[in-house]
């Protein structure tokens, strides 16, 4: 990896001092949902569309969101118990 890392989308430097102690995450929400870690696309369970949708909703919410609100937002057609169960499955 080249330091300092360059943003693949805007080609600008990340505004963090060298060396930044945590991995840099970049969440793309327009077009295809995608999560990059240090410029490399994340794969596996963290890259599942539902989990990325949850991450997107939470990242856009300035104060966080209750589980009930998340369940209603993503599984509004399901009854409350089923929606809550679906949320639990998506989180773990």
């Amino acid at each position: 990896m080249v330091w300092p890392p360059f943003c693949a989308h805007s080609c600008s430097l990340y505004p963090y001092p060298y060396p930044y102690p945590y991995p840099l995450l970049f969440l793309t929400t327009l077009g295809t949902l995608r999560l990059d870690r240090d410029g490399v696309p994340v794969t596996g369970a963290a890259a599942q569309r539902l989990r990325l949708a949850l991450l997107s909703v939470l990242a856009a919410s300035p104060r966080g969101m209750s589980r009930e609100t998340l369940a209603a937002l993503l599984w509004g057609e399901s009854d409350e118990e089923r929606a809550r169960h679906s949320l639990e499955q998506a989180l773990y």
Side-chain angles (χ1 to χ4, degrees), residues 16-27:
Y16 300 114
Y18 174 79
Y20 192 68
Y22 305 106
L24 297 173
L25 297 175
F26 190 85
L27 179 63

Side-chain angles (χ1 to χ4, degrees), residues 1 5-7 24 29-30 50 57 61 84:
M1 181 178 150
F6 288 87
C7 174
L24 297 173
T29 57
L30 295 177
L50 180 58
V57 169
S61 176
R84 196 170 41 245

Side-chain angles (χ1 to χ4, degrees), residues 25-29 33-36 42 46-61 65 70 74 87 90-91:
L25 297 175
F26 190 85
L27 179 63
T28 302
T29 57
L33 281 176
R34 188 172 124 180
L35 181 65
D36 294 336
V42 173
Q48 292 175 350
R49 290 183 65 203
L50 180 58
R51 289 183 173 162
L52 289 177
L54 280 168
L55 179 60
S56 299
V57 169
L58 291 172
S61 176
M65 196 172 288
L70 274 173
L74 296 172
L87 178 60
L91 292 174

